Amino acid sequence: MPPARTLTSTVSLVFSSQLRARQIYRHPAFRFRMASSSAFGLKEASLVRSQGFIDGKWVDAKDGGVIKVTNPATTEELGTVPEMGLAETKEAIDAAAKAFKTWSKTTANQRHDILIKLYALMKEHSDDLARMITLENGKPLAEAMGEHLYSASFIEWFAEEAVRTYGEQIPSPFPGVRNIVIKQPVGVVSILTPWNFPSAMITRKLGAALAAGCTAVIKPPPETPFSALALAELATRAGVPPGVINIVTTQSNVRDVGREMCESPIVQKVSFTGSTPVAKMLAQMAAGTLKKVSIEAGGNAPFIVFDDADIDAAVEGVIVCKFRGTGQTCVCANRIFVQSSVYAEFASRLAERVAAFKVGNGLDKETTHGPLIHDRAVDKVEAHVEDALANGAQVLLGGKRIPGAGSFFAPTVLSDVPADALVNREETFGPLAALTRFETEEEVVAMANNTAVGLAGYFFSRDVGRVWRVAEALEVGMVGANTGVISQAVIPFGGVKESGLGREGGHGISEYMNEKLIAFGGL
């Protein structure tokens, strides 16, 4: 245990942090008005599309149904998109199948050139596309711009990967035979994405699919459909032919649409990012026709701070890892384990940093953290806080929902959270940093691995031997050692255990291609 005066200074800091944190509730970002909901206040209003996209045409739902899309910071309506269903989904799949016949025959250079044009258009309209992300998702403009650039980087990366899809020759044990392996696109691809990264979760999949020569049907989330539709608009301008990209928007009919996208015998691959329960359901549907499946499902990322860590660096690592997207990222630090000898120091420094956050409308330049996506997300964070407190945890900062318009929860730091608290067993997806104490390396590795999922994990240590031991021991698909940021277009992104199948980014184009052997005899 740390000496008494350290604990006393920690308590004093916590109280002062709570006083400063009260300014969060009075921040002027909570006094705002929505700007130009009809055109999102964009420089180019034509990027706002309110129809689905099938076979190169902007279309409404056959029954005229619509989905209302709201700004999570204000609850004001941004606009509507079609409430499409099974009939529109089948049309989109048929259009993709027809387009595949010609798109799959284009050369890698041709696909490269079109994707590079799309990348250039995305960069040209950066301000508008970032603003669109903020309006429908809620994240601050600076963070939305970061997502947009991340999104564009996938298009650039896979444009280059298109011309690196090499085959190979394998020596044959038989005389007069040559074994040639070529790579071919799998066919029509179903893409289902979440709302936390409205643009990047699409391009990470779509970029690879288009580069490989596949065609796609995309189902964006009903909370954030406009970013997807804007990408389709720019792809058309870049020269992507009709039917290569199709977008079906739905909310009430999501079960029927999702089932068709997974079970249709025309579809040859399904790529999904979302929760583990939904991932299991979609994988079962796709199994009926033995489709290729790529899944990035839920996480419960451990973040470990060892006693030999650079504490300042570890605090900054938690800030970017835990609170990016207001805690709504699949690779967020969810369980924060701190070694006892540095626990008080780390907790006080983290509380002080979080107290400086400015919560509000993402369009306000002073805002550092925006709303959660909807009130159900707020309810989940609140439930995790209440469970932790009931089991002995203490509030260092925050701990309450923020009243008024919008789905806001105060950035929260809890101390003395037991290892079996709900927040340590479930992915919170919100601005809650829950600190749990540990004593030894062996103990914390066991705690970190005590979960059914394994997407990402993080730790801070200056012991080189420990870095390698822990990095190899963590049961996750990605490890951040002395960094809280791992997401890049160039890396293999994905998890182990119930966090998913396959890898995206990096060499993920291979997930959208089949290897074919051609054995030449009689030579």
Side-chain angles (χ1 to χ4, degrees), residues 172-208:
S172 172
F174 307 117
V177 175
R178 298 290 183 271
N179 293 322
I180 306 298
V181 177
I182 64 172
K183 296 182 180 181
Q184 296 179 304
V186 298
V188 175
V189 175
S190 289
I191 294 175
L192 302 98
T193 60
W195 46 260
N196 57 338
F197 287 87
S199 182
M201 293 303 95
I202 292 175
T203 58
R204 189 160 70 187
K205 303 170 187 297
L206 182 63

PDB file of all heavy atoms in Angstrom, residues 172-208:
ATOM      1  N   SER A 172       6.285 -29.161 -59.210  1.00  0.00           N
ATOM      2  CA  SER A 172       5.539 -30.416 -59.139  1.00  0.00           C
ATOM      3  C   SER A 172       6.494 -31.605 -58.970  1.00  0.00           C
ATOM      4  O   SER A 172       7.591 -31.606 -59.525  1.00  0.00           O
ATOM      5  CB  SER A 172       4.714 -30.616 -60.414  1.00  0.00           C
ATOM      6  OG  SER A 172       4.129 -31.903 -60.423  1.00  0.00           O
ATOM      7  N   PRO A 173       6.048 -32.599 -58.210  1.00  0.00           N
ATOM      8  CA  PRO A 173       6.871 -33.809 -58.094  1.00  0.00           C
ATOM      9  C   PRO A 173       6.782 -34.706 -59.334  1.00  0.00           C
ATOM     10  O   PRO A 173       7.505 -35.696 -59.435  1.00  0.00           O
ATOM     11  CB  PRO A 173       6.283 -34.509 -56.868  1.00  0.00           C
ATOM     12  CG  PRO A 173       4.847 -34.094 -56.850  1.00  0.00           C
ATOM     13  CD  PRO A 173       4.841 -32.684 -57.359  1.00  0.00           C
ATOM     14  N   PHE A 174       5.867 -34.339 -60.243  1.00  0.00           N
ATOM     15  CA  PHE A 174       5.655 -35.164 -61.434  1.00  0.00           C
ATOM     16  C   PHE A 174       6.299 -34.527 -62.659  1.00  0.00           C
ATOM     17  O   PHE A 174       6.128 -33.317 -62.893  1.00  0.00           O
ATOM     18  CB  PHE A 174       4.164 -35.370 -61.692  1.00  0.00           C
ATOM     19  CG  PHE A 174       3.413 -35.905 -60.496  1.00  0.00           C
ATOM     20  CD1 PHE A 174       2.419 -35.152 -59.904  1.00  0.00           C
ATOM     21  CD2 PHE A 174       3.728 -37.149 -59.970  1.00  0.00           C
ATOM     22  CE1 PHE A 174       1.734 -35.625 -58.808  1.00  0.00           C
ATOM     23  CE2 PHE A 174       3.045 -37.632 -58.868  1.00  0.00           C
ATOM     24  CZ  PHE A 174       2.049 -36.863 -58.277  1.00  0.00           C
ATOM     25  N   PRO A 175       6.988 -35.300 -63.487  1.00  0.00           N
ATOM     26  CA  PRO A 175       7.601 -34.746 -64.702  1.00  0.00           C
ATOM     27  C   PRO A 175       6.533 -34.206 -65.658  1.00  0.00           C
ATOM     28  O   PRO A 175       5.447 -34.757 -65.768  1.00  0.00           O
ATOM     29  CB  PRO A 175       8.323 -35.951 -65.318  1.00  0.00           C
ATOM     30  CG  PRO A 175       8.455 -36.939 -64.218  1.00  0.00           C
ATOM     31  CD  PRO A 175       7.280 -36.717 -63.319  1.00  0.00           C
ATOM     32  N   GLY A 176       6.860 -33.107 -66.312  1.00  0.00           N
ATOM     33  CA  GLY A 176       5.972 -32.563 -67.326  1.00  0.00           C
ATOM     34  C   GLY A 176       4.756 -31.854 -66.789  1.00  0.00           C
ATOM     35  O   GLY A 176       3.795 -31.616 -67.523  1.00  0.00           O
ATOM     36  N   VAL A 177       4.738 -31.518 -65.513  1.00  0.00           N
ATOM     37  CA  VAL A 177       3.593 -30.826 -64.913  1.00  0.00           C
ATOM     38  C   VAL A 177       4.066 -29.516 -64.293  1.00  0.00           C
ATOM     39  O   VAL A 177       5.095 -29.469 -63.625  1.00  0.00           O
ATOM     40  CB  VAL A 177       2.914 -31.692 -63.838  1.00  0.00           C
ATOM     41  CG1 VAL A 177       1.802 -30.914 -63.137  1.00  0.00           C
ATOM     42  CG2 VAL A 177       2.334 -32.960 -64.459  1.00  0.00           C
ATOM     43  N   ARG A 178       3.313 -28.467 -64.528  1.00  0.00           N
ATOM     44  CA  ARG A 178       3.576 -27.169 -63.908  1.00  0.00           C
ATOM     45  C   ARG A 178       2.355 -26.774 -63.075  1.00  0.00           C
ATOM     46  O   ARG A 178       1.229 -26.754 -63.586  1.00  0.00           O
ATOM     47  CB  ARG A 178       3.844 -26.089 -64.965  1.00  0.00           C
ATOM     48  CG  ARG A 178       5.059 -26.353 -65.835  1.00  0.00           C
ATOM     49  CD  ARG A 178       6.367 -26.192 -65.038  1.00  0.00           C
ATOM     50  NE  ARG A 178       7.523 -26.375 -65.905  1.00  0.00           N
ATOM     51  CZ  ARG A 178       8.111 -27.542 -66.153  1.00  0.00           C
ATOM     52  NH1 ARG A 178       7.608 -28.651 -65.610  1.00  0.00           N
ATOM     53  NH2 ARG A 178       9.167 -27.602 -66.937  1.00  0.00           N
ATOM     54  N   ASN A 179       2.568 -26.460 -61.821  1.00  0.00           N
ATOM     55  CA  ASN A 179       1.495 -26.031 -60.920  1.00  0.00           C
ATOM     56  C   ASN A 179       1.474 -24.501 -60.837  1.00  0.00           C
ATOM     57  O   ASN A 179       2.430 -23.887 -60.364  1.00  0.00           O
ATOM     58  CB  ASN A 179       1.708 -26.592 -59.515  1.00  0.00           C
ATOM     59  CG  ASN A 179       1.559 -28.103 -59.477  1.00  0.00           C
ATOM     60  OD1 ASN A 179       0.703 -28.668 -60.153  1.00  0.00           O
ATOM     61  ND2 ASN A 179       2.388 -28.754 -58.681  1.00  0.00           N
ATOM     62  N   ILE A 180       0.406 -23.914 -61.332  1.00  0.00           N
ATOM     63  CA  ILE A 180       0.243 -22.466 -61.277  1.00  0.00           C
ATOM     64  C   ILE A 180      -0.937 -22.143 -60.360  1.00  0.00           C
ATOM     65  O   ILE A 180      -2.015 -22.733 -60.505  1.00  0.00           O
ATOM     66  CB  ILE A 180      -0.027 -21.881 -62.673  1.00  0.00           C
ATOM     67  CG1 ILE A 180       1.068 -22.317 -63.654  1.00  0.00           C
ATOM     68  CG2 ILE A 180      -0.128 -20.356 -62.599  1.00  0.00           C
ATOM     69  CD1 ILE A 180       2.451 -21.828 -63.286  1.00  0.00           C
ATOM     70  N   VAL A 181      -0.735 -21.226 -59.433  1.00  0.00           N
ATOM     71  CA  VAL A 181      -1.813 -20.789 -58.537  1.00  0.00           C
ATOM     72  C   VAL A 181      -2.159 -19.343 -58.880  1.00  0.00           C
ATOM     73  O   VAL A 181      -1.292 -18.468 -58.877  1.00  0.00           O
ATOM     74  CB  VAL A 181      -1.392 -20.898 -57.058  1.00  0.00           C
ATOM     75  CG1 VAL A 181      -2.512 -20.363 -56.160  1.00  0.00           C
ATOM     76  CG2 VAL A 181      -1.068 -22.339 -56.694  1.00  0.00           C
ATOM     77  N   ILE A 182      -3.426 -19.117 -59.191  1.00  0.00           N
ATOM     78  CA  ILE A 182      -3.896 -17.762 -59.458  1.00  0.00           C
ATOM     79  C   ILE A 182      -4.913 -17.366 -58.389  1.00  0.00           C
ATOM     80  O   ILE A 182      -5.462 -18.224 -57.688  1.00  0.00           O
ATOM     81  CB  ILE A 182      -4.523 -17.628 -60.861  1.00  0.00           C
ATOM     82  CG1 ILE A 182      -5.783 -18.490 -60.985  1.00  0.00           C
ATOM     83  CG2 ILE A 182      -3.506 -17.997 -61.940  1.00  0.00           C
ATOM     84  CD1 ILE A 182      -6.558 -18.266 -62.280  1.00  0.00           C
ATOM     85  N   LYS A 183      -5.153 -16.058 -58.256  1.00  0.00           N
ATOM     86  CA  LYS A 183      -6.124 -15.559 -57.290  1.00  0.00           C
ATOM     87  C   LYS A 183      -7.266 -14.879 -58.027  1.00  0.00           C
ATOM     88  O   LYS A 183      -7.031 -14.066 -58.915  1.00  0.00           O
ATOM     89  CB  LYS A 183      -5.454 -14.585 -56.321  1.00  0.00           C
ATOM     90  CG  LYS A 183      -4.391 -15.237 -55.456  1.00  0.00           C
ATOM     91  CD  LYS A 183      -3.782 -14.249 -54.479  1.00  0.00           C
ATOM     92  CE  LYS A 183      -2.728 -14.927 -53.614  1.00  0.00           C
ATOM     93  NZ  LYS A 183      -2.127 -13.980 -52.629  1.00  0.00           N
ATOM     94  N   GLN A 184      -8.492 -15.228 -57.619  1.00  0.00           N
ATOM     95  CA  GLN A 184      -9.683 -14.688 -58.263  1.00  0.00           C
ATOM     96  C   GLN A 184     -10.662 -14.149 -57.216  1.00  0.00           C
ATOM     97  O   GLN A 184     -10.726 -14.667 -56.098  1.00  0.00           O
ATOM     98  CB  GLN A 184     -10.380 -15.771 -59.092  1.00  0.00           C
ATOM     99  CG  GLN A 184      -9.554 -16.285 -60.255  1.00  0.00           C
ATOM    100  CD  GLN A 184     -10.285 -17.370 -61.024  1.00  0.00           C
ATOM    101  OE1 GLN A 184     -10.698 -18.379 -60.451  1.00  0.00           O
ATOM    102  NE2 GLN A 184     -10.452 -17.155 -62.322  1.00  0.00           N
ATOM    103  N   PRO A 185     -11.436 -13.117 -57.558  1.00  0.00           N
ATOM    104  CA  PRO A 185     -12.405 -12.571 -56.603  1.00  0.00           C
ATOM    105  C   PRO A 185     -13.480 -13.599 -56.263  1.00  0.00           C
ATOM    106  O   PRO A 185     -13.897 -14.389 -57.117  1.00  0.00           O
ATOM    107  CB  PRO A 185     -12.994 -11.368 -57.340  1.00  0.00           C
ATOM    108  CG  PRO A 185     -12.754 -11.646 -58.795  1.00  0.00           C
ATOM    109  CD  PRO A 185     -11.458 -12.402 -58.850  1.00  0.00           C
ATOM    110  N   VAL A 186     -13.939 -13.572 -54.993  1.00  0.00           N
ATOM    111  CA  VAL A 186     -14.902 -14.588 -54.558  1.00  0.00           C
ATOM    112  C   VAL A 186     -16.271 -14.390 -55.178  1.00  0.00           C
ATOM    113  O   VAL A 186     -17.011 -15.351 -55.384  1.00  0.00           O
ATOM    114  CB  VAL A 186     -15.024 -14.614 -53.018  1.00  0.00           C
ATOM    115  CG1 VAL A 186     -13.710 -14.984 -52.379  1.00  0.00           C
ATOM    116  CG2 VAL A 186     -15.543 -13.293 -52.474  1.00  0.00           C
ATOM    117  N   GLY A 187     -16.656 -13.138 -55.469  1.00  0.00           N
ATOM    118  CA  GLY A 187     -17.979 -12.889 -56.036  1.00  0.00           C
ATOM    119  C   GLY A 187     -18.690 -11.757 -55.321  1.00  0.00           C
ATOM    120  O   GLY A 187     -18.072 -10.772 -54.906  1.00  0.00           O
ATOM    121  N   VAL A 188     -19.996 -11.904 -55.131  1.00  0.00           N
ATOM    122  CA  VAL A 188     -20.798 -10.891 -54.450  1.00  0.00           C
ATOM    123  C   VAL A 188     -20.538 -10.971 -52.952  1.00  0.00           C
ATOM    124  O   VAL A 188     -20.531 -12.052 -52.354  1.00  0.00           O
ATOM    125  CB  VAL A 188     -22.293 -11.092 -54.730  1.00  0.00           C
ATOM    126  CG1 VAL A 188     -23.137 -10.104 -53.931  1.00  0.00           C
ATOM    127  CG2 VAL A 188     -22.578 -10.950 -56.217  1.00  0.00           C
ATOM    128  N   VAL A 189     -20.335  -9.813 -52.348  1.00  0.00           N
ATOM    129  CA  VAL A 189     -20.002  -9.734 -50.924  1.00  0.00           C
ATOM    130  C   VAL A 189     -21.092  -8.949 -50.191  1.00  0.00           C
ATOM    131  O   VAL A 189     -21.528  -7.885 -50.652  1.00  0.00           O
ATOM    132  CB  VAL A 189     -18.642  -9.028 -50.729  1.00  0.00           C
ATOM    133  CG1 VAL A 189     -18.342  -8.838 -49.247  1.00  0.00           C
ATOM    134  CG2 VAL A 189     -17.531  -9.810 -51.414  1.00  0.00           C
ATOM    135  N   SER A 190     -21.522  -9.460 -49.041  1.00  0.00           N
ATOM    136  CA  SER A 190     -22.425  -8.738 -48.153  1.00  0.00           C
ATOM    137  C   SER A 190     -21.596  -8.058 -47.071  1.00  0.00           C
ATOM    138  O   SER A 190     -20.755  -8.694 -46.427  1.00  0.00           O
ATOM    139  CB  SER A 190     -23.434  -9.684 -47.498  1.00  0.00           C
ATOM    140  OG  SER A 190     -24.383 -10.143 -48.433  1.00  0.00           O
ATOM    141  N   ILE A 191     -21.833  -6.765 -46.856  1.00  0.00           N
ATOM    142  CA  ILE A 191     -21.090  -5.975 -45.871  1.00  0.00           C
ATOM    143  C   ILE A 191     -22.076  -5.375 -44.877  1.00  0.00           C
ATOM    144  O   ILE A 191     -22.984  -4.638 -45.263  1.00  0.00           O
ATOM    145  CB  ILE A 191     -20.277  -4.867 -46.568  1.00  0.00           C
ATOM    146  CG1 ILE A 191     -19.185  -5.491 -47.447  1.00  0.00           C
ATOM    147  CG2 ILE A 191     -19.685  -3.903 -45.554  1.00  0.00           C
ATOM    148  CD1 ILE A 191     -18.405  -4.480 -48.279  1.00  0.00           C
ATOM    149  N   LEU A 192     -21.900  -5.690 -43.607  1.00  0.00           N
ATOM    150  CA  LEU A 192     -22.774  -5.189 -42.548  1.00  0.00           C
ATOM    151  C   LEU A 192     -21.907  -4.473 -41.517  1.00  0.00           C
ATOM    152  O   LEU A 192     -20.974  -5.059 -40.970  1.00  0.00           O
ATOM    153  CB  LEU A 192     -23.555  -6.324 -41.889  1.00  0.00           C
ATOM    154  CG  LEU A 192     -24.431  -7.155 -42.841  1.00  0.00           C
ATOM    155  CD1 LEU A 192     -23.712  -8.438 -43.246  1.00  0.00           C
ATOM    156  CD2 LEU A 192     -25.772  -7.500 -42.196  1.00  0.00           C
ATOM    157  N   THR A 193     -22.217  -3.207 -41.257  1.00  0.00           N
ATOM    158  CA  THR A 193     -21.318  -2.374 -40.461  1.00  0.00           C
ATOM    159  C   THR A 193     -22.029  -1.703 -39.285  1.00  0.00           C
ATOM    160  O   THR A 193     -23.246  -1.542 -39.295  1.00  0.00           O
ATOM    161  CB  THR A 193     -20.669  -1.285 -41.342  1.00  0.00           C
ATOM    162  OG1 THR A 193     -21.693  -0.466 -41.909  1.00  0.00           O
ATOM    163  CG2 THR A 193     -19.850  -1.908 -42.453  1.00  0.00           C
ATOM    164  N   PRO A 194     -21.260  -1.260 -38.271  1.00  0.00           N
ATOM    165  CA  PRO A 194     -21.820  -0.595 -37.095  1.00  0.00           C
ATOM    166  C   PRO A 194     -21.793   0.917 -37.216  1.00  0.00           C
ATOM    167  O   PRO A 194     -21.217   1.469 -38.153  1.00  0.00           O
ATOM    168  CB  PRO A 194     -20.885  -1.070 -35.981  1.00  0.00           C
ATOM    169  CG  PRO A 194     -19.543  -1.113 -36.668  1.00  0.00           C
ATOM    170  CD  PRO A 194     -19.820  -1.553 -38.091  1.00  0.00           C
ATOM    171  N   TRP A 195     -22.348   1.579 -36.192  1.00  0.00           N
ATOM    172  CA  TRP A 195     -22.494   3.031 -36.214  1.00  0.00           C
ATOM    173  C   TRP A 195     -21.301   3.771 -35.608  1.00  0.00           C
ATOM    174  O   TRP A 195     -21.177   4.976 -35.760  1.00  0.00           O
ATOM    175  CB  TRP A 195     -23.750   3.451 -35.440  1.00  0.00           C
ATOM    176  CG  TRP A 195     -23.888   2.761 -34.110  1.00  0.00           C
ATOM    177  CD1 TRP A 195     -24.684   1.690 -33.824  1.00  0.00           C
ATOM    178  CD2 TRP A 195     -23.183   3.067 -32.894  1.00  0.00           C
ATOM    179  NE1 TRP A 195     -24.522   1.314 -32.512  1.00  0.00           N
ATOM    180  CE2 TRP A 195     -23.606   2.142 -31.923  1.00  0.00           C
ATOM    181  CE3 TRP A 195     -22.245   4.031 -32.533  1.00  0.00           C
ATOM    182  CZ2 TRP A 195     -23.125   2.143 -30.610  1.00  0.00           C
ATOM    183  CZ3 TRP A 195     -21.754   4.042 -31.237  1.00  0.00           C
ATOM    184  CH2 TRP A 195     -22.188   3.102 -30.286  1.00  0.00           C
ATOM    185  N   ASN A 196     -20.411   3.064 -34.895  1.00  0.00           N
ATOM    186  CA  ASN A 196     -19.374   3.803 -34.164  1.00  0.00           C
ATOM    187  C   ASN A 196     -18.298   4.394 -35.072  1.00  0.00           C
ATOM    188  O   ASN A 196     -17.660   5.386 -34.727  1.00  0.00           O
ATOM    189  CB  ASN A 196     -18.746   2.939 -33.070  1.00  0.00           C
ATOM    190  CG  ASN A 196     -18.144   1.657 -33.584  1.00  0.00           C
ATOM    191  OD1 ASN A 196     -18.505   1.163 -34.654  1.00  0.00           O
ATOM    192  ND2 ASN A 196     -17.211   1.100 -32.837  1.00  0.00           N
ATOM    193  N   PHE A 197     -18.087   3.777 -36.238  1.00  0.00           N
ATOM    194  CA  PHE A 197     -17.223   4.347 -37.269  1.00  0.00           C
ATOM    195  C   PHE A 197     -17.992   4.289 -38.591  1.00  0.00           C
ATOM    196  O   PHE A 197     -17.819   3.360 -39.375  1.00  0.00           O
ATOM    197  CB  PHE A 197     -15.896   3.585 -37.370  1.00  0.00           C
ATOM    198  CG  PHE A 197     -14.963   3.847 -36.227  1.00  0.00           C
ATOM    199  CD1 PHE A 197     -15.032   3.098 -35.067  1.00  0.00           C
ATOM    200  CD2 PHE A 197     -14.023   4.868 -36.298  1.00  0.00           C
ATOM    201  CE1 PHE A 197     -14.190   3.349 -33.997  1.00  0.00           C
ATOM    202  CE2 PHE A 197     -13.171   5.132 -35.241  1.00  0.00           C
ATOM    203  CZ  PHE A 197     -13.258   4.369 -34.083  1.00  0.00           C
ATOM    204  N   PRO A 198     -18.877   5.270 -38.833  1.00  0.00           N
ATOM    205  CA  PRO A 198     -19.816   5.190 -39.960  1.00  0.00           C
ATOM    206  C   PRO A 198     -19.150   5.073 -41.315  1.00  0.00           C
ATOM    207  O   PRO A 198     -19.724   4.506 -42.241  1.00  0.00           O
ATOM    208  CB  PRO A 198     -20.594   6.512 -39.855  1.00  0.00           C
ATOM    209  CG  PRO A 198     -20.389   6.990 -38.464  1.00  0.00           C
ATOM    210  CD  PRO A 198     -19.042   6.498 -38.052  1.00  0.00           C
ATOM    211  N   SER A 199     -17.939   5.610 -41.454  1.00  0.00           N
ATOM    212  CA  SER A 199     -17.239   5.583 -42.730  1.00  0.00           C
ATOM    213  C   SER A 199     -16.138   4.529 -42.764  1.00  0.00           C
ATOM    214  O   SER A 199     -16.055   3.722 -43.681  1.00  0.00           O
ATOM    215  CB  SER A 199     -16.649   6.969 -43.028  1.00  0.00           C
ATOM    216  OG  SER A 199     -16.005   6.988 -44.274  1.00  0.00           O
ATOM    217  N   ALA A 200     -15.297   4.505 -41.749  1.00  0.00           N
ATOM    218  CA  ALA A 200     -14.112   3.637 -41.771  1.00  0.00           C
ATOM    219  C   ALA A 200     -14.463   2.160 -41.753  1.00  0.00           C
ATOM    220  O   ALA A 200     -13.752   1.335 -42.353  1.00  0.00           O
ATOM    221  CB  ALA A 200     -13.196   3.976 -40.600  1.00  0.00           C
ATOM    222  N   MET A 201     -15.545   1.775 -41.058  1.00  0.00           N
ATOM    223  CA  MET A 201     -15.896   0.360 -41.029  1.00  0.00           C
ATOM    224  C   MET A 201     -16.401  -0.125 -42.386  1.00  0.00           C
ATOM    225  O   MET A 201     -16.363  -1.320 -42.672  1.00  0.00           O
ATOM    226  CB  MET A 201     -16.963   0.094 -39.965  1.00  0.00           C
ATOM    227  CG  MET A 201     -16.504   0.287 -38.541  1.00  0.00           C
ATOM    228  SD  MET A 201     -15.077  -0.725 -38.048  1.00  0.00           S
ATOM    229  CE  MET A 201     -13.717   0.416 -38.325  1.00  0.00           C
ATOM    230  N   ILE A 202     -16.847   0.804 -43.215  1.00  0.00           N
ATOM    231  CA  ILE A 202     -17.248   0.435 -44.577  1.00  0.00           C
ATOM    232  C   ILE A 202     -16.028   0.326 -45.484  1.00  0.00           C
ATOM    233  O   ILE A 202     -15.849  -0.673 -46.179  1.00  0.00           O
ATOM    234  CB  ILE A 202     -18.257   1.445 -45.134  1.00  0.00           C
ATOM    235  CG1 ILE A 202     -19.580   1.334 -44.377  1.00  0.00           C
ATOM    236  CG2 ILE A 202     -18.485   1.217 -46.638  1.00  0.00           C
ATOM    237  CD1 ILE A 202     -20.610   2.357 -44.770  1.00  0.00           C
ATOM    238  N   THR A 203     -15.175   1.340 -45.484  1.00  0.00           N
ATOM    239  CA  THR A 203     -14.055   1.335 -46.425  1.00  0.00           C
ATOM    240  C   THR A 203     -13.054   0.240 -46.115  1.00  0.00           C
ATOM    241  O   THR A 203     -12.374  -0.250 -47.014  1.00  0.00           O
ATOM    242  CB  THR A 203     -13.343   2.695 -46.445  1.00  0.00           C
ATOM    243  OG1 THR A 203     -12.880   3.016 -45.128  1.00  0.00           O
ATOM    244  CG2 THR A 203     -14.276   3.794 -46.949  1.00  0.00           C
ATOM    245  N   ARG A 204     -12.936  -0.149 -44.846  1.00  0.00           N
ATOM    246  CA  ARG A 204     -12.019  -1.242 -44.503  1.00  0.00           C
ATOM    247  C   ARG A 204     -12.437  -2.542 -45.184  1.00  0.00           C
ATOM    248  O   ARG A 204     -11.595  -3.374 -45.532  1.00  0.00           O
ATOM    249  CB  ARG A 204     -11.979  -1.433 -42.980  1.00  0.00           C
ATOM    250  CG  ARG A 204     -10.901  -2.399 -42.533  1.00  0.00           C
ATOM    251  CD  ARG A 204     -10.564  -2.215 -41.073  1.00  0.00           C
ATOM    252  NE  ARG A 204     -11.635  -2.663 -40.197  1.00  0.00           N
ATOM    253  CZ  ARG A 204     -11.639  -2.481 -38.876  1.00  0.00           C
ATOM    254  NH1 ARG A 204     -10.645  -1.827 -38.297  1.00  0.00           N
ATOM    255  NH2 ARG A 204     -12.627  -2.930 -38.132  1.00  0.00           N
ATOM    256  N   LYS A 205     -13.723  -2.711 -45.400  1.00  0.00           N
ATOM    257  CA  LYS A 205     -14.236  -3.890 -46.070  1.00  0.00           C
ATOM    258  C   LYS A 205     -14.390  -3.653 -47.579  1.00  0.00           C
ATOM    259  O   LYS A 205     -13.974  -4.461 -48.403  1.00  0.00           O
ATOM    260  CB  LYS A 205     -15.593  -4.280 -45.474  1.00  0.00           C
ATOM    261  CG  LYS A 205     -15.584  -4.530 -43.977  1.00  0.00           C
ATOM    262  CD  LYS A 205     -16.994  -4.660 -43.429  1.00  0.00           C
ATOM    263  CE  LYS A 205     -17.038  -4.736 -41.914  1.00  0.00           C
ATOM    264  NZ  LYS A 205     -16.369  -5.906 -41.362  1.00  0.00           N
ATOM    265  N   LEU A 206     -15.026  -2.526 -47.916  1.00  0.00           N
ATOM    266  CA  LEU A 206     -15.328  -2.236 -49.316  1.00  0.00           C
ATOM    267  C   LEU A 206     -14.063  -2.032 -50.137  1.00  0.00           C
ATOM    268  O   LEU A 206     -13.998  -2.475 -51.294  1.00  0.00           O
ATOM    269  CB  LEU A 206     -16.223  -0.999 -49.407  1.00  0.00           C
ATOM    270  CG  LEU A 206     -16.673  -0.594 -50.807  1.00  0.00           C
ATOM    271  CD1 LEU A 206     -17.538  -1.678 -51.438  1.00  0.00           C
ATOM    272  CD2 LEU A 206     -17.426   0.734 -50.762  1.00  0.00           C
ATOM    273  N   GLY A 207     -13.071  -1.362 -49.568  1.00  0.00           N
ATOM    274  CA  GLY A 207     -11.816  -1.150 -50.299  1.00  0.00           C
ATOM    275  C   GLY A 207     -11.193  -2.465 -50.713  1.00  0.00           C
ATOM    276  O   GLY A 207     -10.757  -2.635 -51.857  1.00  0.00           O
ATOM    277  N   ALA A 208     -11.154  -3.414 -49.797  1.00  0.00           N
ATOM    278  CA  ALA A 208     -10.585  -4.724 -50.103  1.00  0.00           C
ATOM    279  C   ALA A 208     -11.426  -5.464 -51.144  1.00  0.00           C
ATOM    280  O   ALA A 208     -10.892  -6.088 -52.074  1.00  0.00           O
ATOM    281  CB  ALA A 208     -10.485  -5.547 -48.825  1.00  0.00           C
TER     282      ALA A 208
END
